[in-house]
Amino acid sequence: MQRLLVPALWEVATTAVASFTGAWLYRINTPLPTIVVYYLIWFGVMAAVFGAGASLRRALTVDTVQSMGLGVATLYLILFATLGTDSRAWVWALAVLIGAASGLYWLALYVQAALTIQTGDAAAYTSWLGMLETGAAVIVPPLTGWIVASFPGILGYRLVFGGAAALVVGALFVSRKHPSSSAVVRPRQQSVTCRGGVQSSGPWPC
């Protein structure tokens, strides 16, 4: 159950924010080119995190990587909620934080699933994740829009960001209270023959 509770909390929180971050930036008069660069930085940093994860030389536990992602997500959500219109001046730094949080979380989730989900359970696990994502995508945006429209000024946005931060904190608490595994994020070990017939059991060149 814990395997799905953390993704469920993450999906609800991040879907609410992802659906309305662009609207929020536009609402506080952020220039359109800045918003475009914001999204480019977001996804660029996320891709860079995945690239770094694929070439890690020092092992990290999956739970540590997941906690890092949830922790960074909590930070950027709190900043969005507390900075208000001043977040316009920090938009690119916030994009870096969002990209890092997303990359770390999804990297941990994928590796965790690969290491802990039995082959016979993979289809069911993937189906449940798909239903969580689809359900969040259908239900959360209208609810978030209603909250934004129901409060004056930017208060609705702040409530959305603050509520999302609370959900991510809940996910962090669950993940730390019930660690998934002690598996490490590292490239697969293989034995290779170096020059002179020397054997190397590590994943790195001789």
Side-chain angles (χ1 to χ4, degrees):
M1 187 64 182
Q2 181 267 335
R3 288 177 180 172
L4 292 174
L5 181 55
V6 171
L9 293 170
W10 170 272
E11 285 296 333
V12 173
T14 57
T15 299
V17 174
S19 300
F20 285 84
T21 301
W24 161 248
L25 293 175
Y26 186 79
R27 170 70 174 76
I28 60 176
N29 301 317
T30 306
L32 182 58
T34 300
I35 297 176
V36 172
V37 174
Y38 163 84
Y39 281 105
L40 291 175
I41 294 174
W42 174 349
F43 292 107
V45 171
M46 184 176 175
V49 170
F50 270 87
S55 59
L56 280 176
R57 290 174 180 262
R58 299 180 64 183
L60 292 173
T61 67
V62 173
D63 293 319
T64 297
V65 176
Q66 185 178 69
S67 294
M68 290 168 60
L70 294 171
V72 176
T74 301
L75 174 61
Y76 84 72
L77 289 168
I78 290 175
L79 286 174
F80 264 126
T82 57
L83 285 172
T85 56
D86 289 336
S87 60
R88 182 177 58 244
W90 299 92
V91 61
W92 291 345
L94 290 167
V96 171
L97 291 176
I98 295 175
S102 300
L104 290 167
Y105 170 80
W106 286 111
L107 175 63
L109 184 69
Y110 293 151
V111 174
Q112 179 188 85
L115 295 175
T116 63
I117 303 298
Q118 299 298 320
T119 303
D121 299 329
Y125 179 75
T126 303
S127 297
W128 276 108
L129 280 182
M131 284 189 285
L132 287 176
E133 293 177 4
T134 303
V138 171
I139 297 172
V140 174
L143 178 60
T144 304
W146 176 79
I147 294 173
V148 168
S150 297
F151 293 88
I154 62 173
L155 178 58
Y157 286 101
R158 284 182 149 173
L159 290 175
V160 168
F161 294 135
L167 291 175
V168 175
V169 169
L172 180 58
F173 174 78
V174 172
S175 68
R176 298 305 296 172
K177 186 175 181 180
H178 303 285
S180 60
S181 71
S182 59
V184 295
V185 181
R186 72 174 97 186
R188 180 176 298 174
Q189 299 287 319
Q190 60 183 354
S191 178
V192 297
T193 302
C194 304
R195 290 183 179 179
V198 178
Q199 295 290 321
S200 172
S201 60
W204 315 115
C206 302

